[in-house]
Protein backbone atom coordinates (compact mmCIF):
# COMPACT_ATOMS: atom_id res chain seq x y z
CA UNK A 1 0.00 0.00 0.00
CA UNK A 2 2.76 2.43 0.91
CA UNK A 3 4.54 1.77 -2.40
CA UNK A 4 1.37 2.51 -4.38
CA UNK A 5 0.93 5.81 -2.57
CA UNK A 6 4.42 7.12 -3.23
CA UNK A 7 5.34 9.77 -5.79
CA UNK A 8 3.20 10.04 -8.91
CA UNK A 9 1.52 6.63 -8.60
CA UNK A 10 -1.64 7.70 -6.72
CA UNK A 11 -2.26 10.47 -9.24
CA UNK A 12 -1.99 7.98 -12.11
CA UNK A 13 -4.30 5.48 -10.38
CA UNK A 14 -6.90 8.13 -9.59
CA UNK A 15 -6.79 9.44 -13.15
CA UNK A 16 -7.38 5.92 -14.44
CA UNK A 17 -10.28 5.50 -12.02
CA UNK A 18 -11.76 8.76 -13.27
CA UNK A 19 -11.44 7.57 -16.87
CA UNK A 20 -13.35 4.40 -15.99
CA UNK A 21 -16.02 6.42 -14.22
CA UNK A 22 -16.51 9.37 -16.55
CA UNK A 23 -15.70 8.36 -20.12
CA UNK A 24 -18.17 5.49 -20.78
CA UNK A 25 -21.24 6.81 -22.55
CA UNK A 26 -19.86 10.30 -22.96
CA UNK A 27 -20.59 10.24 -26.69
CA UNK A 28 -23.44 7.70 -26.66
CA UNK A 29 -25.87 9.55 -24.39
CA UNK A 30 -27.68 12.25 -26.42
CA UNK A 31 -27.83 15.89 -25.28
CA UNK A 32 -29.94 16.15 -22.17
CA UNK A 33 -32.74 18.59 -21.49
CA UNK A 34 -32.91 21.19 -20.44
CA UNK A 35 -29.84 22.77 -18.84
CA UNK A 36 -27.15 20.83 -20.70
CA UNK A 37 -28.65 21.55 -24.10
CA UNK A 38 -28.99 25.24 -23.27
CA UNK A 39 -25.33 25.40 -22.27
CA UNK A 40 -24.01 23.63 -25.37
CA UNK A 41 -26.23 25.59 -27.74
CA UNK A 42 -25.11 28.89 -26.19
CA UNK A 43 -21.47 27.81 -26.48
CA UNK A 44 -21.99 26.85 -30.13
CA UNK A 45 -23.52 30.24 -30.92
CA UNK A 46 -20.61 31.93 -29.18
CA UNK A 47 -18.19 30.18 -31.53
CA UNK A 48 -20.25 30.73 -34.67
CA UNK A 49 -20.82 34.44 -34.02
CA UNK A 50 -17.33 35.00 -32.58
CA UNK A 51 -18.96 36.90 -29.70
CA UNK A 52 -17.31 35.76 -26.48
CA UNK A 53 -18.85 38.43 -24.25
CA UNK A 54 -22.63 38.02 -24.45
CA UNK A 55 -24.47 34.70 -24.11
CA UNK A 56 -27.37 33.77 -26.37
CA UNK A 57 -29.80 30.91 -26.87
CA UNK A 58 -31.07 31.44 -30.42
CA UNK A 59 -32.19 35.09 -30.44
CA UNK A 60 -32.80 35.30 -26.69
CA UNK A 61 -30.09 36.63 -24.33
CA UNK A 62 -29.18 34.10 -21.66
CA UNK A 63 -28.55 36.24 -18.60
CA UNK A 64 -28.34 33.51 -15.97
CA UNK A 65 -24.82 32.12 -15.58
CA UNK A 66 -21.44 33.77 -16.26
CA UNK A 67 -19.39 33.03 -19.34
CA UNK A 68 -16.59 30.87 -17.91
CA UNK A 69 -18.01 27.46 -18.78
CA UNK A 70 -18.85 28.62 -22.31
CA UNK A 71 -15.24 29.69 -22.88
CA UNK A 72 -14.00 26.30 -21.74
CA UNK A 73 -16.54 24.41 -23.85
CA UNK A 74 -15.69 26.53 -26.87
CA UNK A 75 -11.99 25.78 -26.44
CA UNK A 76 -12.74 22.06 -26.19
CA UNK A 77 -14.92 22.04 -29.31
CA UNK A 78 -12.37 24.05 -31.29
CA UNK A 79 -9.69 21.54 -30.26
CA UNK A 80 -11.59 18.30 -30.87
CA UNK A 81 -14.56 19.01 -33.12
CA UNK A 82 -16.40 21.72 -35.00
CA UNK A 83 -19.11 24.13 -33.80
CA UNK A 84 -21.41 22.96 -36.59
CA UNK A 85 -21.20 19.35 -35.39
CA UNK A 86 -23.98 17.89 -33.27
CA UNK A 87 -21.53 15.76 -31.26
CA UNK A 88 -21.99 16.66 -27.61
CA UNK A 89 -18.97 14.84 -26.13
CA UNK A 90 -16.47 17.68 -26.76
CA UNK A 91 -18.61 19.98 -24.64
CA UNK A 92 -18.78 17.34 -21.91
CA UNK A 93 -15.00 16.98 -21.78
CA UNK A 94 -14.90 20.19 -19.72
CA UNK A 95 -17.00 18.53 -17.01
CA UNK A 96 -14.78 15.45 -17.15
CA UNK A 97 -11.76 17.70 -16.64
CA UNK A 98 -13.44 19.45 -13.72
CA UNK A 99 -14.30 16.14 -12.05
CA UNK A 100 -10.76 14.81 -12.51
CA UNK A 101 -9.25 18.00 -11.08
CA UNK A 102 -11.59 17.79 -8.09
CA UNK A 103 -10.57 14.18 -7.39
CA UNK A 104 -6.85 14.89 -7.82
CA UNK A 105 -7.16 18.03 -5.70
CA UNK A 106 -8.91 16.11 -2.93
CA UNK A 107 -5.95 13.74 -2.81
CA UNK A 108 -3.34 16.50 -2.89
CA UNK A 109 -4.90 18.66 -0.20
CA UNK A 110 -6.27 15.72 1.79
CA UNK A 111 -2.74 14.40 2.19
CA UNK A 112 -1.81 17.67 3.90
CA UNK A 113 -4.82 17.43 6.20
CA UNK A 114 -4.34 13.77 7.14
CA UNK A 115 -2.00 11.47 5.24
CA UNK A 116 -1.80 9.89 1.81
CA UNK A 117 -3.81 6.83 2.82
CA UNK A 118 -6.80 8.88 3.95
CA UNK A 119 -6.47 11.26 1.02
CA UNK A 120 -6.34 8.45 -1.54
CA UNK A 121 -9.44 6.77 -0.12
CA UNK A 122 -11.30 10.08 0.05
CA UNK A 123 -10.45 10.93 -3.55
CA UNK A 124 -11.77 7.56 -4.70
CA UNK A 125 -14.96 7.96 -2.66
CA UNK A 126 -15.58 11.43 -4.07
CA UNK A 127 -14.79 10.33 -7.62
CA UNK A 128 -17.26 7.45 -7.47
CA UNK A 129 -20.09 9.40 -5.86
CA UNK A 130 -23.22 9.12 -7.97
CA UNK A 131 -23.79 12.87 -8.20
CA UNK A 132 -20.25 13.61 -9.44
CA UNK A 133 -20.37 10.80 -12.01
CA UNK A 134 -23.66 12.21 -13.25
CA UNK A 135 -22.34 15.77 -13.44
CA UNK A 136 -19.16 14.63 -15.22
CA UNK A 137 -21.39 13.26 -18.01
CA UNK A 138 -23.17 16.59 -18.54
CA UNK A 139 -21.89 19.77 -20.19
CA UNK A 140 -22.83 22.07 -17.32
CA UNK A 141 -21.04 24.12 -14.68
CA UNK A 142 -21.05 21.97 -11.57
CA UNK A 143 -18.10 19.61 -12.06
CA UNK A 144 -15.78 22.51 -12.90
CA UNK A 145 -17.23 24.49 -10.00
CA UNK A 146 -16.32 21.59 -7.71
CA UNK A 147 -12.71 21.76 -8.92
CA UNK A 148 -12.66 25.45 -7.97
CA UNK A 149 -14.12 24.65 -4.55
CA UNK A 150 -11.52 21.96 -3.88
CA UNK A 151 -8.67 24.26 -4.89
CA UNK A 152 -9.86 27.18 -2.77
CA UNK A 153 -10.85 25.16 0.30
CA UNK A 154 -7.79 22.94 0.01
CA UNK A 155 -5.41 25.89 0.18
CA UNK A 156 -7.42 27.43 3.01
CA UNK A 157 -7.26 24.12 4.91
CA UNK A 158 -3.47 24.01 4.64
CA UNK A 159 -3.19 27.59 5.88
CA UNK A 160 -5.56 26.83 8.75
CA UNK A 161 -3.51 23.82 9.86
CA UNK A 162 -0.35 25.87 9.62
CA UNK A 163 -1.90 28.56 11.83
CA UNK A 164 -2.73 25.86 14.39
CA UNK A 165 0.88 24.70 14.49
CA UNK A 166 0.42 21.67 12.25
CA UNK A 167 1.18 20.69 8.69
CA UNK A 168 4.05 21.93 6.60
CA UNK A 169 4.75 25.37 5.21
CA UNK A 170 2.28 26.32 2.49
CA UNK A 171 4.08 27.18 -0.78
CA UNK A 172 3.39 30.58 -2.27
CA UNK A 173 1.84 29.11 -5.41
CA UNK A 174 -0.90 27.58 -3.25
CA UNK A 175 -1.99 31.05 -2.15
CA UNK A 176 -2.02 32.23 -5.77
CA UNK A 177 -4.10 29.15 -6.62
CA UNK A 178 -6.61 30.08 -3.89
CA UNK A 179 -7.33 33.48 -5.38
CA UNK A 180 -7.33 32.22 -8.96
CA UNK A 181 -9.82 29.52 -7.96
CA UNK A 182 -12.04 32.13 -6.32
CA UNK A 183 -11.90 34.31 -9.42
CA UNK A 184 -12.57 31.48 -11.84
CA UNK A 185 -15.41 30.13 -9.67
CA UNK A 186 -17.12 33.52 -10.04
CA UNK A 187 -16.63 33.23 -13.80
CA UNK A 188 -18.20 29.76 -13.80
CA UNK A 189 -21.18 30.15 -11.48
CA UNK A 190 -21.14 33.45 -9.68
CA UNK A 191 -20.81 33.68 -5.89
CA UNK A 192 -21.36 30.04 -4.87
CA UNK A 193 -17.76 29.08 -4.02
CA UNK A 194 -16.86 32.45 -2.45
CA UNK A 195 -19.92 32.14 -0.21
CA UNK A 196 -18.93 28.59 0.84
CA UNK A 197 -15.39 29.78 1.62
CA UNK A 198 -16.70 32.80 3.54
CA UNK A 199 -19.03 30.62 5.61
CA UNK A 200 -16.10 28.35 6.43
CA UNK A 201 -14.07 31.35 7.55
CA UNK A 202 -16.87 32.69 9.72
CA UNK A 203 -17.43 29.30 11.33
CA UNK A 204 -13.74 28.92 12.17
CA UNK A 205 -13.48 32.49 13.42
CA UNK A 206 -16.40 31.94 15.79
CA UNK A 207 -15.27 28.47 16.92
CA UNK A 208 -11.60 29.45 17.46
CA UNK A 209 -12.09 33.12 18.31
CA UNK A 210 -9.13 33.70 16.05
CA UNK A 211 -8.37 34.62 12.45
CA UNK A 212 -4.65 33.87 12.59
CA UNK A 213 -4.92 32.19 9.19
CA UNK A 214 -5.97 35.44 7.52
CA UNK A 215 -2.43 36.74 7.09
CA UNK A 216 -1.43 33.59 5.21
CA UNK A 217 -4.12 34.26 2.59
CA UNK A 218 -2.45 37.56 1.71
CA UNK A 219 -5.73 39.31 0.86
CA UNK A 220 -4.04 42.57 -0.10
CA UNK A 221 -2.30 40.76 -2.94
CA UNK A 222 -4.96 38.13 -3.57
CA UNK A 223 -8.19 40.09 -3.88
CA UNK A 224 -6.91 42.18 -6.83
CA UNK A 225 -5.77 38.91 -8.43
CA UNK A 226 -9.24 37.40 -8.13
CA UNK A 227 -10.82 40.60 -9.43
CA UNK A 228 -8.47 40.54 -12.40
CA UNK A 229 -9.87 37.12 -13.33
CA UNK A 230 -13.56 37.98 -13.46
CA UNK A 231 -14.02 41.76 -13.35
CA UNK A 232 -13.03 42.52 -16.99
CA UNK A 233 -15.73 40.26 -18.38
CA UNK A 234 -18.36 41.52 -15.92
CA UNK A 235 -17.58 45.08 -16.99
CA UNK A 236 -17.63 44.12 -20.67
CA UNK A 237 -20.94 42.26 -20.47
CA UNK A 238 -22.41 45.06 -18.40
CA UNK A 239 -21.55 47.54 -21.13
CA UNK A 240 -22.68 45.22 -23.92
CA UNK A 241 -26.06 44.59 -22.30
CA UNK A 242 -26.56 48.03 -20.69
CA UNK A 243 -26.49 46.36 -17.29
CA UNK A 244 -29.03 43.76 -18.36
CA UNK A 245 -26.87 40.74 -17.53
CA UNK A 246 -26.39 41.49 -13.84
CA UNK A 247 -29.94 42.79 -13.45
CA UNK A 248 -31.43 39.58 -14.82
CA UNK A 249 -28.86 37.20 -13.34
CA UNK A 250 -29.49 38.58 -9.87
CA UNK A 251 -33.07 39.77 -10.11
CA UNK A 252 -34.58 37.00 -12.24
CA UNK A 253 -32.35 33.99 -11.47
CA UNK A 254 -30.52 34.25 -8.14
CA UNK A 255 -33.02 36.10 -5.95
CA UNK A 256 -36.08 34.03 -7.00
CA UNK A 257 -34.15 30.87 -6.04
CA UNK A 258 -33.39 32.34 -2.63
CA UNK A 259 -36.97 33.45 -2.00
CA UNK A 260 -39.07 30.58 -3.38
CA UNK A 261 -38.83 27.22 -5.12
CA UNK A 262 -38.06 28.10 -8.74
CA UNK A 263 -39.22 26.07 -11.74
CA UNK A 264 -40.99 23.46 -9.55
CA UNK A 265 -37.72 22.63 -7.77
CA UNK A 266 -38.82 23.56 -4.26
CA UNK A 267 -38.36 21.21 -1.30
CA UNK A 268 -38.38 21.59 2.51
CA UNK A 269 -35.25 21.67 4.70
CA UNK A 270 -33.81 18.19 5.18
CA UNK A 271 -34.16 17.31 1.51
CA UNK A 272 -30.40 17.15 0.88
CA UNK A 273 -29.79 15.19 4.07
CA UNK A 274 -32.16 12.47 2.95
CA UNK A 275 -30.94 12.58 -0.62
CA UNK A 276 -27.27 12.17 0.39
CA UNK A 277 -27.79 8.41 0.72
CA UNK A 278 -28.23 8.31 -3.05
CA UNK A 279 -26.14 11.24 -4.29
CA UNK A 280 -23.08 10.28 -2.21
CA UNK A 281 -23.46 6.55 -2.92
CA UNK A 282 -21.41 4.37 -2.48
CA UNK A 283 -19.60 6.66 0.00
CA UNK A 284 -22.80 7.01 2.01
CA UNK A 285 -22.17 3.48 3.35
CA UNK A 286 -20.25 4.97 6.28
CA UNK A 287 -21.55 8.53 6.10
CA UNK A 288 -23.54 8.81 9.32
CA UNK A 289 -21.03 7.15 11.68
CA UNK A 290 -18.29 9.27 10.11
CA UNK A 291 -20.23 12.48 10.70
CA UNK A 292 -20.79 11.48 14.32
CA UNK A 293 -17.09 10.76 14.80
CA UNK A 294 -16.11 14.06 13.20
CA UNK A 295 -18.38 15.99 15.54
CA UNK A 296 -17.17 14.11 18.60
CA UNK A 297 -13.54 14.81 17.66
CA UNK A 298 -14.04 18.34 16.39
CA UNK A 299 -11.10 19.63 18.42
CA UNK A 300 -8.78 17.99 15.88
CA UNK A 301 -7.81 20.81 13.49
CA UNK A 302 -8.40 18.80 10.29
CA UNK A 303 -11.85 17.61 11.32
CA UNK A 304 -12.66 21.05 12.69
CA UNK A 305 -11.93 22.55 9.30
CA UNK A 306 -14.02 19.93 7.48
CA UNK A 307 -16.98 20.59 9.77
CA UNK A 308 -16.63 24.33 9.17
CA UNK A 309 -16.62 23.60 5.44
CA UNK A 310 -19.61 21.28 5.60
CA UNK A 311 -22.09 22.43 8.23
CA UNK A 312 -22.72 26.15 7.47
CA UNK A 313 -22.79 25.61 3.71
CA UNK A 314 -25.08 22.60 4.03
CA UNK A 315 -27.47 24.55 6.26
CA UNK A 316 -27.48 27.36 3.71
CA UNK A 317 -28.40 24.96 0.90
CA UNK A 318 -31.12 23.36 3.04
CA UNK A 319 -32.65 26.76 3.82
CA UNK A 320 -32.68 27.97 0.20
CA UNK A 321 -36.17 27.09 -1.12
CA UNK A 322 -35.00 26.09 -4.63
CA UNK A 323 -33.30 22.70 -4.45
CA UNK A 324 -31.58 20.56 -7.04
CA UNK A 325 -29.52 17.46 -6.19
CA UNK A 326 -26.20 18.95 -7.35
CA UNK A 327 -26.38 22.15 -5.30
CA UNK A 328 -24.56 20.62 -2.30
CA UNK A 329 -21.75 19.17 -4.46
CA UNK A 330 -19.16 21.77 -3.27
CA UNK A 331 -19.36 20.20 0.21
CA UNK A 332 -18.83 16.60 -0.89
CA UNK A 333 -15.01 16.60 -0.65
CA UNK A 334 -15.41 17.33 3.07
CA UNK A 335 -17.79 14.37 3.39
CA UNK A 336 -15.39 12.08 1.54
CA UNK A 337 -12.46 13.09 3.76
CA UNK A 338 -14.52 12.52 6.91
CA UNK A 339 -15.51 9.04 5.78
CA UNK A 340 -11.95 8.11 4.81
CA UNK A 341 -10.58 9.45 8.10
CA UNK A 342 -13.10 7.36 10.04
CA UNK A 343 -12.23 4.20 8.10
CA UNK A 344 -8.53 4.53 8.86
CA UNK A 345 -9.24 5.41 12.47
CA UNK A 346 -10.99 2.05 12.75
CA UNK A 347 -8.17 0.30 10.94
CA UNK A 348 -5.58 1.92 13.22
CA UNK A 349 -7.57 0.96 16.32
CA UNK A 350 -8.26 4.52 17.52
CA UNK A 351 -12.03 4.40 17.05
CA UNK A 352 -14.69 1.72 16.80
CA UNK A 353 -18.30 2.50 16.05
CA UNK A 354 -18.80 0.99 12.64
CA UNK A 355 -19.72 -2.44 14.03
CA UNK A 356 -22.50 -1.29 16.33
CA UNK A 357 -26.06 -2.47 15.83
CA UNK A 358 -27.35 0.85 14.49
CA UNK A 359 -24.53 1.06 11.96
CA UNK A 360 -25.13 -2.51 10.79
CA UNK A 361 -28.81 -1.72 10.26
CA UNK A 362 -27.86 1.34 8.24
CA UNK A 363 -25.68 -0.76 5.94
CA UNK A 364 -28.76 -2.77 4.96
CA UNK A 365 -30.68 0.43 4.18
CA UNK A 366 -27.75 1.69 2.12
CA UNK A 367 -27.77 -1.49 -0.02
CA UNK A 368 -31.25 -0.60 -1.29
CA UNK A 369 -29.70 1.97 -3.63
CA UNK A 370 -27.67 -0.72 -5.40
CA UNK A 371 -30.71 -2.94 -5.69
CA UNK A 372 -32.70 -0.03 -7.16
CA UNK A 373 -29.95 0.55 -9.74
CA UNK A 374 -30.02 -3.12 -10.68
CA UNK A 375 -33.80 -3.10 -11.13
CA UNK A 376 -33.65 0.14 -13.14
CA UNK A 377 -30.97 -1.28 -15.45
CA UNK A 378 -33.32 -4.10 -16.45
CA UNK A 379 -36.71 -2.36 -16.32
CA UNK A 380 -35.98 0.99 -17.98
CA UNK A 381 -35.06 -0.45 -21.40
CA UNK A 382 -38.27 -2.49 -21.34
CA UNK A 383 -40.43 0.58 -20.63
CA UNK A 384 -38.52 3.25 -22.53
CA UNK A 385 -36.54 1.27 -25.09
CA UNK A 386 -37.04 -1.45 -27.64
CA UNK A 387 -37.64 -4.12 -25.04
CA UNK A 388 -35.40 -6.32 -22.95
CA UNK A 389 -31.73 -5.48 -23.38
CA UNK A 390 -29.36 -8.37 -22.70
CA UNK A 391 -26.58 -5.92 -21.87
CA UNK A 392 -28.65 -4.82 -18.88
CA UNK A 393 -27.95 -8.12 -17.13
CA UNK A 394 -24.22 -7.60 -16.47
CA UNK A 395 -24.97 -4.02 -15.44
CA UNK A 396 -27.61 -5.24 -12.99
CA UNK A 397 -25.20 -7.87 -11.71
CA UNK A 398 -22.57 -5.20 -11.08
CA UNK A 399 -25.12 -3.06 -9.23
CA UNK A 400 -26.15 -6.01 -7.06
CA UNK A 401 -22.48 -6.71 -6.34
CA UNK A 402 -22.01 -3.05 -5.44
CA UNK A 403 -24.75 -3.49 -2.85
CA UNK A 404 -24.12 -7.03 -1.58
CA UNK A 405 -20.34 -7.28 -1.39
CA UNK A 406 -19.77 -4.10 0.67
CA UNK A 407 -22.71 -5.05 2.90
CA UNK A 408 -21.23 -8.50 3.55
CA UNK A 409 -17.75 -7.10 4.19
CA UNK A 410 -19.08 -4.39 6.50
CA UNK A 411 -20.99 -6.95 8.55
CA UNK A 412 -17.74 -8.91 8.83
CA UNK A 413 -15.97 -5.75 10.08
CA UNK A 414 -13.77 -5.41 7.03
CA UNK A 415 -14.78 -1.81 6.59
CA UNK A 416 -11.99 -0.47 4.40
CA UNK A 417 -12.35 -3.45 2.06
CA UNK A 418 -16.09 -2.83 1.97
CA UNK A 419 -15.55 0.75 0.82
CA UNK A 420 -12.99 -0.30 -1.80
CA UNK A 421 -15.36 -2.96 -3.12
CA UNK A 422 -18.18 -0.44 -3.24
CA UNK A 423 -16.14 2.00 -5.31
CA UNK A 424 -14.92 -0.71 -7.69
CA UNK A 425 -18.35 -2.24 -8.25
CA UNK A 426 -19.95 1.20 -8.57
CA UNK A 427 -17.44 2.05 -11.31
CA UNK A 428 -18.52 -1.04 -13.25
CA UNK A 429 -22.18 -0.20 -12.65
CA UNK A 430 -21.90 3.40 -13.78
CA UNK A 431 -19.91 2.41 -16.85
CA UNK A 432 -22.61 -0.02 -17.90
CA UNK A 433 -25.44 2.40 -17.18
CA UNK A 434 -23.94 5.20 -19.29
CA UNK A 435 -22.52 3.01 -22.05
CA UNK A 436 -25.37 0.52 -22.51
CA UNK A 437 -28.53 1.30 -20.55
CA UNK A 438 -29.10 5.02 -21.12
CA UNK A 439 -28.33 4.94 -24.88
CA UNK A 440 -30.90 2.15 -25.26
CA UNK A 441 -33.76 4.29 -23.91
CA UNK A 442 -34.92 5.29 -27.37
CA UNK A 443 -38.35 6.49 -26.21
CA UNK A 444 -36.60 9.23 -24.23
CA UNK A 445 -34.48 10.28 -27.21
CA UNK A 446 -37.26 12.29 -28.84
CA UNK A 447 -35.05 15.12 -30.09
CA UNK A 448 -32.40 12.89 -31.72
CA UNK A 449 -35.05 10.91 -33.58
CA UNK A 450 -36.96 14.02 -34.62
CA UNK A 451 -33.78 15.73 -35.81
CA UNK A 452 -32.86 12.61 -37.79
CA UNK A 453 -36.32 12.54 -39.37
CA UNK A 454 -35.97 16.20 -40.32
CA UNK A 455 -32.55 15.56 -41.85
CA UNK A 456 -33.86 12.61 -43.87
CA UNK A 457 -36.92 14.47 -45.14
CA UNK A 458 -35.19 17.76 -45.99
CA UNK A 459 -34.16 18.73 -49.46
CA UNK A 460 -30.38 18.83 -50.09
CA UNK A 461 -28.79 21.66 -48.16
CA UNK A 462 -31.75 21.93 -45.79
CA UNK A 463 -33.16 25.11 -47.42
CA UNK A 464 -35.83 25.55 -44.74
CA UNK A 465 -35.24 25.39 -40.99
CA UNK A 466 -37.42 23.03 -39.02
CA UNK A 467 -40.40 24.61 -37.28
CA UNK A 468 -41.72 22.80 -34.22
CA UNK A 469 -44.92 23.39 -32.31
CA UNK A 470 -45.88 21.65 -29.09
CA UNK A 471 -42.36 20.30 -28.63
CA UNK A 472 -39.78 22.96 -27.75
CA UNK A 473 -36.91 21.24 -25.93
CA UNK A 474 -33.47 22.92 -26.24
CA UNK A 475 -31.91 19.63 -27.39
CA UNK A 476 -33.93 19.89 -30.61
CA UNK A 477 -32.38 23.28 -31.33
CA UNK A 478 -28.88 21.90 -30.78
CA UNK A 479 -29.48 18.83 -32.97
CA UNK A 480 -31.62 20.34 -35.74
CA UNK A 481 -29.79 23.67 -35.94
CA UNK A 482 -29.77 27.12 -34.39
CA UNK A 483 -32.30 28.33 -36.99
CA UNK A 484 -34.92 25.86 -35.70
CA UNK A 485 -38.15 27.69 -34.97
CA UNK A 486 -40.09 26.94 -31.79
CA UNK A 487 -43.50 28.30 -32.61
CA UNK A 488 -47.20 28.34 -31.84
CA UNK A 489 -49.44 26.19 -34.08
CA UNK A 490 -50.61 29.32 -35.88
CA UNK A 491 -47.04 30.45 -36.53
CA UNK A 492 -46.01 26.97 -37.67
CA UNK A 493 -48.93 26.74 -40.10
CA UNK A 494 -48.23 30.17 -41.55
CA UNK A 495 -44.54 29.34 -41.95
CA UNK A 496 -45.06 26.14 -43.95
CA UNK A 497 -47.82 27.77 -45.99
CA UNK A 498 -45.49 30.60 -46.97
CA UNK A 499 -42.57 28.27 -47.70
CA UNK A 500 -43.54 25.31 -49.91
CA UNK A 501 -41.33 22.36 -49.11
CA UNK A 502 -40.79 23.43 -45.48
CA UNK A 503 -41.12 20.90 -42.67
CA UNK A 504 -43.14 21.30 -39.49
CA UNK A 505 -43.00 19.05 -36.43
CA UNK A 506 -46.45 19.12 -34.86
CA UNK A 507 -47.17 17.52 -31.50
CA UNK A 508 -50.60 15.85 -31.31
CA UNK A 509 -51.97 18.40 -28.83
CA UNK A 510 -51.35 21.17 -31.37
CA UNK A 511 -52.36 19.25 -34.48
CA UNK A 512 -56.01 20.32 -34.63
CA UNK A 513 -55.23 24.02 -34.44
CA UNK A 514 -52.34 23.65 -36.91
CA UNK A 515 -54.61 22.01 -39.51
CA UNK A 516 -57.42 24.52 -38.87
CA UNK A 517 -55.14 27.42 -39.75
CA UNK A 518 -53.93 25.63 -42.89
CA UNK A 519 -57.52 24.98 -43.91
CA UNK A 520 -57.81 28.73 -44.41
CA UNK A 521 -55.10 28.42 -47.09
CA UNK A 522 -56.70 25.98 -49.59
CA UNK A 523 -53.87 26.50 -52.06
CA UNK A 524 -51.50 24.79 -49.61
CA UNK A 525 -51.43 21.10 -48.77
CA UNK A 526 -49.39 19.34 -46.10
CA UNK A 527 -48.29 15.74 -46.20
CA UNK A 528 -47.17 13.70 -43.19
CA UNK A 529 -43.72 12.29 -43.94
CA UNK A 530 -42.68 10.80 -40.57
CA UNK A 531 -43.83 10.27 -37.04
CA UNK A 532 -41.92 10.30 -33.74
CA UNK A 533 -43.43 9.02 -30.53
CA UNK A 534 -41.80 8.94 -27.11
CA UNK A 535 -41.68 10.30 -23.61
CA UNK A 536 -40.67 13.89 -22.90
CA UNK A 537 -38.93 13.47 -19.53
CA UNK A 538 -38.58 17.23 -19.07
CA UNK A 539 -42.35 17.61 -18.94
CA UNK A 540 -43.17 14.11 -17.74
CA UNK A 541 -45.58 13.22 -20.53
CA UNK A 542 -45.92 11.19 -23.71
CA UNK A 543 -45.50 12.99 -27.02
CA UNK A 544 -46.68 12.07 -30.49
CA UNK A 545 -45.11 14.26 -33.17
CA UNK A 546 -45.97 14.20 -36.88
CA UNK A 547 -43.52 15.72 -39.36
CA UNK A 548 -45.40 17.51 -42.14
CA UNK A 549 -44.08 18.81 -45.45
CA UNK A 550 -45.95 21.60 -47.23
CA UNK A 551 -46.57 21.91 -50.94
CA UNK A 552 -49.08 23.21 -53.47
CA UNK A 553 -52.59 21.82 -53.23
Amino acid sequence: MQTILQGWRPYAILTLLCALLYLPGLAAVPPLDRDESRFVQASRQMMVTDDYVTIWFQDEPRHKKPVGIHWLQSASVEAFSDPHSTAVWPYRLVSVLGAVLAVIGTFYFGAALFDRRVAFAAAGILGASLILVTEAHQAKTDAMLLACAVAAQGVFARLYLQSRGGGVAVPGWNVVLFWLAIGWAVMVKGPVVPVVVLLTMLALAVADRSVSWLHGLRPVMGMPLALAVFLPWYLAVGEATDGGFLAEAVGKDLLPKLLAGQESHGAPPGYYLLLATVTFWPGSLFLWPSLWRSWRQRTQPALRFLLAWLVPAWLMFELVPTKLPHYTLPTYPALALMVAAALFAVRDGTWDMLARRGARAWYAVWAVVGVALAVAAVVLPVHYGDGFNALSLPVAAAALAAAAVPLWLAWRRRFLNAMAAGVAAAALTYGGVFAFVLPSLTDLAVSPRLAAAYEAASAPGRPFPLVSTGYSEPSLVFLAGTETRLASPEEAATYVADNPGALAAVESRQQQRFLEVLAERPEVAVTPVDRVQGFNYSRGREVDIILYRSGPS
Side-chain angles (χ1 to χ4, degrees), residues 353-388:
M353 281 186 61
L354 296 181
R356 295 187 178 182
R357 184 177 301 174
R360 290 164 65 88
W362 165 250
Y363 303 151
V365 174
W366 169 90
V368 172
V369 178
V371 175
L373 285 172
V375 172
V378 175
V379 171
L380 288 179
V382 175
H383 282 274
Y384 297 111
D386 298 326
F388 174 72

Side-chain angles (χ1 to χ4, degrees), residues 388-403:
F388 174 72
N389 183 357
L391 292 175
S392 294
L393 293 180
V395 179
L400 290 175

Side-chain angles (χ1 to χ4, degrees), residues 54-75:
T54 57
I55 307 168
W56 295 83
F57 180 87
Q58 293 192 295
D59 57 355
E60 292 291 329
R62 184 162 166 78
H63 296 334
K64 290 193 173 186
K65 299 294 186 294
V67 77
I69 205 68
H70 298 292
W71 285 356
L72 293 174
Q73 290 178 356
S74 298

Side-chain angles (χ1 to χ4, degrees), residues 46-54 67 70-71 74 78 233:
M46 189 168 284
M47 289 180 280
V48 171
T49 62
D50 204 28
D51 176 4
Y52 291 91
V53 175
T54 57
V67 77
H70 298 292
W71 285 356
S74 298
E78 293 287 1
W233 176 78

Side-chain angles (χ1 to χ4, degrees), residues 7 18 50-51 160 170 195 259 270 295 306 329 367 373-374 388 465 504:
C18 289
D50 204 28
D51 176 4
Y160 177 72
V170 180
V195 168
L259 299 176
W295 181 254
L306 294 179
L329 186 56
L373 285 172
F388 174 72

Side-chain angles (χ1 to χ4, degrees), residues 1-11 14 106-123 337 340 344:
M1 181 72 172
Q2 293 300 326
T3 302
I4 293 176
L5 296 180
Q6 290 177 357
W8 55 269
R9 293 179 181 86
Y11 296 99
L14 289 172
T106 298
F107 172 74
Y108 172 76
F109 293 111
L113 280 174
F114 298 98
D115 57 41
R116 283 198 157 203
R117 301 176 308 158
V118 173
F120 186 75
L337 286 164
F344 279 96

